[in-house]
Amino acid sequence: MTDALLPNEFSDLERFAVKWCLATEQERYMERLSSSMEDMQALYDAVTARAEEAMVYCDKFPLDEMPEDALNLMRLLYSLVMVSFPVEVWGQPRIPDTGAAYLDLLVEPIP
Amino acid sequence: MARFPKPPEGSWTEHYELGTEPMSYEDSISPEFFELEREAIFKRAWLNVGRVEQLPRNGSYFTKELAVARTSVIIVRDREGQVRAFHNVCRHRGNKLVWNDFPKEETSGISRQFVCKYHGWRYDLDGSCSFVQQEQEFFDLDKADYGLVPVHCDVWAGFIFINLAKAPEQNLTEFLGPMVTALENYPFHLQSERWFYRSPVSANWKLYLDAFQEFYHAPILHAKQTPTDLSVPMQQAGFEAPYYGIDGPHRVVSTAGIFPWNLAPNQLKPMEILTRSGLFGPWDMPDLNFEQKPAGLNPAGCDPWGLDSFQIFPNFVILIWGQSWYLTYHYWPTASNQHIFEGTLYFVPAKTARERVAHELAALSFKEYGHQDANTLEATQTMLESRVLDRFPLGDQEVLCRHLHKVTGEWVDDYKRELSEVKR
Ligand code: FES
Ligand SMILES: [Fe+2]
């Protein structure tokens, strides 16, 4: 388990880590657009169930000194937020009726 | 039945004497009118180009592309800490001075001087020319005559403004006027966590301003973003603002809010409950340490208060949320039917993972709404350009749209009048 991306306590979420532990909003948004609803529903169900524990876990560290595995857990929470619109609202990856419109996030807080 | 009292004249539109007849949108589709706007508005008004936090140290700089004025500007904090602006052009043979890789892309950084990529002339942070390559080859050249061309630059409440006029008619404070400057002591500086979005939009710049200065559209265009248990009653009620304000060329709309944490769970999205956040911002608000609430805020005294959206002429918006964060919009025209939209969100920096996740949902919600707004504009622009219709009825909740187009027309008329006086 040495190459695990997430903390031990969250090994049940490890199967989502490679695809969804992404550092920037732009990457997470692109991942959403290219993912199936089944994939996003699976992530949503699994991470929602552990979200409260994940926030408690991450809150043990100062934001600017997060160990890598806790940082990955944070990124998984960001991805949960990212897929919540397709899953809860749109029923599809893309915002309906928005054709070619895009709104790029060029500066965001790190982490 | 109005939920909020209207002014004694019966409507905000009549109160501000804006006329109630249907409106022309010719000013948003005519390339000739756009050419006039360049000169009459964007080369005369004070334009916000960013905030002082973007220049954290002496020597910090960023560039701003101003296609509407056919120039590029360098904004820099000099050795004395003063914020200055210069046209981004080398005095030797006119090369763009500061750029990286792509001459048309904006850049930022920190530097002790600016060096031209072409023949190596150098400029100090105060704009003075400090070095000419092979100076002895030139003819009676005095470096003192070849400093960068300054642009008028001033700072209000941490917002950096420039003015491209040779001699601005008003100083910045006069231009902003009492309604806007009443925000002076709002703690903008505490909210330094910055999220910057940009999007090219195929519509006239004023159409996007219109989309964000009326909320009449909100219960309809954005209906699907809220559970039906909330969106249906919202649609039935429609939107009403308790207050519209106008001061010179600037406008404000203030709205009543809701406490999302008091809504029934079936009126919220599960993710809002999980993260305690949403479009209106995080539910657990930071302490903004108001010594005294700025006089200009929440003019209708709403409790709960939703937001105040200050529309600062011509193309700058400061929107302050009741839930203790703010955002800005900029609309940078590039053609009569094109502009670059910029949205910047500002929060008190998250201290914990939980706060940071709450910001993530607020920011993503902004993006989901913004996409819907932007795409509608393209659909509007193309059909306005068909010229099938030339008059459009605007309701009282669209009073600020009326005002923007009126002020735009007045500035253009003033310019045309001055031009003809010069010719005579
Ligand atoms: S154009 Fe800048 S040094 Fe020649
Ligand atoms: Fe909208």
Side-chain angles (χ1 to χ4, degrees):
Chain A
M1 281 298 283
T2 45
D3 47 0
L5 293 172
L6 296 171
N8 261 333
E9 296 89 319
F10 296 90
S11 55
D12 57 315
L13 301 179
E14 192 65 35
R15 64 200 155 106
F16 299 106
V18 172
K19 181 170 162 68
W20 290 106
C21 293
L22 301 170
T24 67
E25 190 264 5
Q26 196 74 8
E27 292 171 275
R28 295 188 290 273
Y29 190 66
M30 296 318 290
E31 197 62 36
R32 155 176 159 181
L33 291 188
S34 62
S35 291
S36 68
M37 286 308 294
E38 293 69 42
D39 278 355
M40 289 194 276
Q41 186 74 52
L43 174 79
Y44 180 90
D45 292 341
V47 182
T48 298
R50 303 292 313 273
E52 182 54 35
E53 292 159 273
M55 284 193 279
V56 169
Y57 183 91
C58 292
D59 271 346
K60 290 190 296 197
F61 309 99
L63 269 186
D64 49 1
E65 288 167 42
M66 285 249 165
E68 195 59 27
D69 56 355
L71 201 54
N72 281 327
L73 190 56
M74 284 273 283
R75 290 170 178 160
L76 206 55
L77 289 170
Y78 300 161
S79 282
L80 168 65
V81 169
M82 178 55 76
V83 304
S84 72
F85 276 88
V87 169
E88 294 179 353
V89 182
W90 306 128
Q92 61 180 53
R94 188 170 259 287
I95 305 161
D97 290 338
T98 57
Y102 61 92
L103 187 57
D104 287 338
L105 179 55
L106 302 179
V107 178
E108 65 192 309
I110 297 168
Chain B
M1 187 53 205
R3 268 166 293 160
F4 299 109
K6 299 249 189 185
E9 295 83 354
S11 71
W12 295 98
T13 310
E14 291 160 295
H15 178 65
Y16 290 116
E17 299 178 0
L18 295 169
T20 54
E21 55 289 335
M23 245 179 62
S24 163
Y25 267 83
E26 187 64 24
D27 68 2
S28 303
I29 56 176
S30 154
E32 295 74 34
F33 190 84
F34 177 63
E35 291 306 313
L36 290 164
E37 287 180 326
R38 291 182 193 269
E39 304 296 326
I41 295 171
F42 289 91
K43 289 192 188 172
R44 292 183 158 196
W46 286 92
L47 306 172
N48 174 259
V49 290
R51 278 199 56 83
V52 289
E53 290 82 13
Q54 290 166 256
L55 302 174
R57 297 196 305 215
N58 295 353
S60 296
Y61 67 87
F62 62 87
T63 63
K64 191 78 211 159
E65 295 302 304
L66 298 171
V68 65
R70 297 194 175 90
T71 190
S72 165
V73 174
I74 309 168
I75 323 291
V76 60
R77 192 184 284 280
D78 72 12
R79 281 177 218 284
E80 273 70 54
Q82 195 194 329
V83 178
R84 294 173 179 267
F86 303 99
H87 285 282
N88 190 3
V89 56
C90 176
R91 288 297 303 268
H92 173 225
R93 265 167 53 206
N95 186 25
K96 183 177 269 193
L97 184 59
V98 181
W99 53 280
N100 280 330
D101 296 329
F102 302 97
K104 285 188 173 165
E105 280 183 13
E106 294 176 352
T107 181
S108 63
I110 182 153
S111 182
R112 286 162 53 210
Q113 60 185 355
F114 300 117
V115 184
C116 184
K117 294 179 197 288
Y118 204 169
H119 314 94
W121 285 33
R122 294 182 206 156
Y123 301 89
D124 234 312
L125 300 178
D126 64 4
S128 54
C129 180
S130 56
F131 175 80
V132 169
Q133 170 78 3
Q134 290 171 263
E135 192 173 347
Q136 69 283 1
E137 297 278 354
F138 284 84
F139 309 94
D140 305 321
L141 183 139
D142 182 354
K143 288 201 290 291
D145 297 335
Y146 286 88
L148 297 177
V149 181
V151 173
H152 296 278
C153 180
D154 202 356
V155 175
W156 168 79
F159 291 100
I160 304 168
F161 288 80
I162 59 165
N163 191 309
L164 294 164
K166 285 221 165 60
E169 273 172 33
Q170 296 174 297
N171 68 32
L172 178 60
T173 317
E174 289 163 357
F175 173 78
L176 292 175
M179 184 181 81
V180 174
T181 51
L183 295 174
E184 176 92 46
N185 58 352
Y186 179 77
F188 294 108
H189 63 284
L190 296 180
Q191 303 175 60
S192 56
E193 183 188 297
R194 179 168 177 262
W195 303 61
F196 175 66
Y197 297 82
R198 183 159 56 199
S199 162
V201 178
S202 298
N204 184 270
W205 61 284
K206 297 185 293 302
L207 292 192
Y208 212 162
L209 270 151
D210 283 355
F212 279 152
Q213 65 187 337
E214 56 90 353
F215 297 112
Y216 172 53
H217 75 274
I220 311 298
L221 178 65
H222 304 306
K224 291 208 192 82
Q225 303 237 21
T226 26
T228 46
D229 285 321
L230 185 60
S231 66
V232 170
M234 273 181 11
Q235 266 189 37
Q236 279 162 357
F239 173 82
E240 276 177 46
Y243 185 82
Y244 292 101
I246 286 176
D247 179 21
H250 316 298
R251 301 164 286 286
V252 66
V253 50
S254 184
T255 75
I258 36 171
F259 290 134
W261 47 92
N262 287 344
L263 289 174
N266 59 349
Q267 296 183 311
L268 289 161
K269 286 174 282 194
M271 199 53 49
E272 294 177 309
I273 298 170
L274 191 152
T275 60
R276 299 182 56 78
S277 183
L279 179 71
F280 293 0
W283 299 359
D284 302 304
M285 288 172 265
D287 183 3
L288 287 181
N289 288 313
F290 280 123
E291 277 153 32
Q292 186 192 351
K293 203 146 99 75
L297 269 194
N298 188 9
C302 290
D303 188 20
W305 162 50
L307 60 85
D308 287 354
S309 178
F310 287 86
Q311 314 279 317
I312 299 169
F313 190 75
N315 68 333
F316 177 43
V317 172
I318 303 176
L319 188 156
I320 299 175
W321 292 90
Q323 281 169 226
S324 296
W325 61 295
Y326 80 97
L327 55 80
T328 63
Y329 302 135
H330 295 85
Y331 311 81
W332 297 107
T334 48
S336 62
N337 55 9
Q338 303 277 340
H339 73 275
I340 305 284
F341 167 76
E342 294 173 347
T344 317
L345 319 188
Y346 295 91
F347 298 92
V348 171
K351 283 180 227 45
T352 66
R354 194 180 290 274
E355 285 174 9
R356 178 60 182 77
V357 170
H359 294 185
E360 191 77 17
L361 184 67
L364 184 65
S365 304
F366 165 79
K367 176 164 169 154
E368 308 274 332
Y369 277 78
H371 265 90
Q372 291 189 307
D373 292 306
N375 216 48
T376 311
L377 301 179
E378 255 186 75
T380 307
Q381 184 73 33
T382 51
M383 291 320 290
L384 289 180
E385 287 179 0
S386 77
R387 290 197 165 85
V388 171
L389 298 170
D390 64 1
R391 285 292 180 276
F392 302 88
L394 269 68
D396 203 31
Q397 301 299 329
E398 296 164 297
V399 55
L400 299 191
C401 307
R402 241 181 234 279
H403 179 256
L404 167 65
H405 292 267
K406 176 164 176 267
V407 170
T408 302
E410 287 169 355
W411 280 53
V412 166
D413 286 345
D414 285 349
Y415 171 74
K416 286 201 290 200
R417 192 173 320 117
E418 285 166 39
L419 264 193
S420 63
E421 276 163 17
V422 170
K423 278 193 194 121
R424 231 181 285 141

